[in-house]
Amino acid sequence: MKFRPRTFADRLTRRIMIVVLLILTLTMIFIVVSAWRGLYFHTRAQCKEFMYFTNEMMTHLLEELELSAINTSHEFEKALNNPDEFYPMLTNILERNPHIHSVYLAFKPNYYPEKGLRFEPVASRRPGGRIDTLQVASETHDYFKSEIYIRGINEPKGHWSEPYYDKDGAQTTVISYTLPLHDAKGKTVGIFGIDMPLYWIDEHLKKMDEESNKNLWVLKPDDKRFASYCFIINKNGTFIVHPDKKRLFQDNDNILTRASASTDDDADDKLARNMIEGSKGDTIAVIDGVKSFVTYSSLDAPEWSMAIVVPTITMAMMGYILGAMVLVLMLLGMIAIYFVCRMNIRRVTKPLQSLAKSADEVSKGNFEAPLPFIKYQDEIHTLRDSFKNMQASLTQYISDLEKT
């Protein structure tokens, strides 16, 4: 096979491509690093925005329910002499407020002798929207011993309870807001309470998780190695809301016990302590064996803390995807640049090839070999003029020799 020498155009194209490749590589590294940092700060800002929105929403709703309960309690105090009016009044409260699952009254022993030792009228929302009213107090349901009743009857102001499963009334996990009822003489005679179910908070956080995973381009939102999620704990570290329902309300499986059981690092222990103390911030910690970015903050009510967990691999994945996109675009650009450069360099250096052929003809004695037309007044045009002068000089020199 005949060896084909590398042309000047090929060498020039190669050198230009090496310089272009170096510039594009440095540009890609800068873009990927900047993009990862940008994604980190974007994720951090987004988590804080979700946290702020959730806190504002919960605070507003709880304050609204508190105000409603306080105003309603005055109506019940005015109707203490007509206990049969309680049931329609309780029903009316549920009809006016969709966030309340059940409402109840609980009176001191024998306050209404005709109603028996215990009198606890309840109105509860059932599946399908039906509202039932009933008297749940009995020997098996002795509310006199319940923490909610004892605290409510003894405290001068209203308060929120810890979450619990209400098997007699709402038949779901709820938190209760209770406040004391007073007669005309100011004597405490019982309590009034409203139950708010936790499932609406859970549904809200699920929507947040879906939106977050969508924004983070998570391809496997059901895989805890990649998916972001939220959880809420109470002041004791017990999980109130969590994607893993088995962890809810388990005192022996709270955020502290899980952090203590982990031997990966101390960041999760510090995270658990900070959340229980009601601090706010963000950190990198290993959560359930997955290295994650965690943003956490206390909620204004009712003494809970919330955290948003984003696996670091998910944050990095966005950088990898962006890097891959940049790499593909860079390769396509390199291919386009190569062919454009090759075509233009060959077109620009074509007169040099013609001059080389003319020089070859001159070397064979053809001093009249035609020279290419050069359109532009550049170095190649100057070279052509010099070559033309050389042709004229050689022709004159040969002519003079022949004459002598």
Side-chain angles (χ1 to χ4, degrees), residues 12-22 333-339 341:
L12 184 58
T13 301
R14 184 182 63 180
R15 293 189 179 186
I16 291 176
M17 293 306 298
I18 290 175
V19 174
V20 171
L21 178 62
L22 179 61
M334 286 284 294
I335 294 173
I337 291 173
Y338 171 77
F339 284 107
C341 286

Side-chain angles (χ1 to χ4, degrees), residues 115-152:
K115 302 293 183 181
L117 177 65
R118 305 171 184 86
F119 182 49
E120 186 181 12
V122 174
S124 183
R125 201 185 305 276
R126 300 303 184 188
R130 188 183 83 252
I131 296 177
D132 288 347
T133 57
L134 63 159
Q135 210 289 82
V136 298
S138 64
E139 292 184 2
T140 58
H141 176 68
D142 188 1
Y143 62 81
F144 298 140
K145 299 178 181 179
S146 72
E147 181 181 350
I148 293 177
Y149 174 80
I150 294 173
R151 185 179 176 185

Side-chain angles (χ1 to χ4, degrees), residues 204-318:
H204 169 71
L205 294 187
K206 280 183 181 179
K207 291 180 180 179
M208 282 182 52
D209 293 343
E210 292 174 359
E211 185 68 21
S212 177
N213 287 322
K214 181 180 179 180
N215 292 338
L216 292 170
W217 301 349
V218 177
L219 301 179
K220 297 181 178 180
D222 296 328
D223 192 332
K224 69 176 184 179
R225 296 174 300 172
F226 304 102
S228 67
Y229 61 92
C230 308
F231 68 83
I232 296 177
I233 62 170
N234 64 6
K235 60 184 178 181
N236 299 319
T238 303
F239 291 105
I240 304 302
V241 179
H242 195 282
D244 186 358
K245 305 306 178 187
K246 296 179 181 179
R247 302 186 187 183
L248 301 181
F249 315 114
Q250 302 295 321
D251 293 334
N252 58 350
D253 186 17
N254 57 34
I255 192 171
L256 278 176
T257 58
R258 284 190 167 266
S260 301
S262 173
T263 58
D264 296 310
D265 57 20
D266 296 330
D268 52 351
D269 294 279
K270 185 177 179 180
L271 169 66
R273 291 193 297 270
N274 287 344
M275 289 189 68
I276 291 176
E277 292 171 0
S279 303
K280 63 179 180 179
D282 51 67
T283 186
I284 300 292
V286 178
I287 307 296
D288 296 332
V290 180
K291 188 176 181 181
S292 304
F293 170 77
V294 185
T295 301
Y296 57 94
S297 176
S298 61
L299 301 177
D300 292 339
E303 298 184 339
W304 293 350
S305 288
M306 175 181 170
I308 301 177
V309 182
V310 182
T312 54
I313 191 173
T314 295
M315 299 174 64
M317 190 65 69
M318 296 182 68

Side-chain angles (χ1 to χ4, degrees), residues 64-117:
E64 182 181 329
L65 294 178
E66 289 177 13
L67 182 61
S68 175
I70 293 172
N71 293 334
T72 306
S73 66
H74 297 322
E75 297 179 13
F76 285 108
E77 289 175 341
K78 294 177 182 178
L80 287 177
N81 294 328
N82 300 294
D84 292 333
E85 294 183 5
F86 292 158
Y87 290 108
M89 292 173 65
L90 293 172
T91 301
N92 182 258
I93 295 173
L94 292 185
E95 291 174 344
R96 288 187 286 108
N97 198 321
H99 293 294
I100 299 177
H101 199 286
S102 59
V103 287
Y104 58 91
L105 300 165
F107 292 92
K108 284 187 172 183
N110 285 319
Y111 184 74
Y112 294 105
E114 71 277 13
K115 302 293 183 181
L117 177 65

